[in-house]
Amino acid sequence: MALAEEDIAFIKTHLGEWLTEQSLGKPAVVYEIELRERMVRVEEELKHQRELMRQGFEQVDRRFEQVDKRFEQVEKRFEQVDKRFEQIDKRFEQVDKRFDEMLKRHDQQFFWLLGFIATGVGLVIAALRFL
């Protein structure tokens, strides 16, 4: 159903009035008071939201502090482990020195043993030739 030209003209002339009746049907003073009340409610809600955000940020800060403390504890533990490894390294160095000394002694004993064997073989061969 299409609108006729006179219907469109009627709507155009009365549209402003209808909108005014719907939105500004109250006197301007009452409307202004309602706007101020709304502004006050919005400001209170914003204040409440700011407080909630501030509390949230404080909780996040506390959590970061806890995480920082935990990292410090882990760092101390790593330092203790590092010191323990240094002690283990020193012990290995001592064992290595002892092992080197032991090898030197074994080398000397081996050469002495070789000398005794060679001397003994030489004496046995000499004894066999004279017999």
Side-chain angles (χ1 to χ4, degrees), residues 53-69:
M53 289 174 65
R54 190 173 292 124
Q55 290 174 356
F57 288 138
E58 287 173 2
Q59 289 176 351
V60 168
D61 287 343
R62 276 187 253 135
R63 183 68 182 135
F64 276 128
E65 288 172 4
Q66 291 173 350
V67 169
D68 285 344
K69 288 179 183 176

Side-chain angles (χ1 to χ4, degrees), residues 18-126:
W18 295 336
L19 289 174
T20 311
E21 287 175 4
Q22 291 296 319
S23 63
L24 296 175
K26 301 172 186 169
V29 176
V30 175
Y31 184 71
E32 186 176 331
I33 291 171
E34 285 180 2
L35 279 178
R36 287 186 185 191
E37 288 175 357
R38 283 185 187 172
M39 287 183 355
V40 168
R41 283 194 302 262
V42 168
E43 287 173 351
E44 288 174 356
E45 184 61 30
L46 286 173
K47 182 179 178 182
H48 180 67
Q49 290 294 326
R50 270 194 306 266
E51 186 61 34
L52 287 176
M53 289 174 65
R54 190 173 292 124
Q55 290 174 356
F57 288 138
E58 287 173 2
Q59 289 176 351
V60 168
D61 287 343
R62 276 187 253 135
R63 183 68 182 135
F64 276 128
E65 288 172 4
Q66 291 173 350
V67 169
D68 285 344
K69 288 179 183 176
R70 183 70 181 132
F71 275 128
E72 288 173 4
Q73 291 173 352
V74 169
E75 187 174 327
K76 287 178 183 176
R77 181 69 180 133
F78 278 133
E79 289 174 1
Q80 291 172 352
V81 168
D82 191 41
K83 288 179 183 177
R84 185 70 179 142
F85 277 130
E86 288 174 5
Q87 292 172 352
I88 290 171
D89 285 345
K90 288 178 184 177
R91 183 72 179 137
F92 273 125
E93 287 174 5
Q94 291 173 354
V95 168
D96 193 37
K97 286 180 184 177
R98 286 183 183 168
F99 186 72
D100 286 344
E101 291 172 2
M102 188 174 68
L103 281 179
K104 286 180 184 176
R105 275 187 270 136
H106 284 298
D107 286 348
Q108 289 174 352
Q109 290 173 356
F110 178 73
F111 287 133
W112 276 97
L113 181 63
L114 251 142
F116 285 131
I117 291 173
T119 304
V121 168
L123 289 174
V124 167
I125 292 176

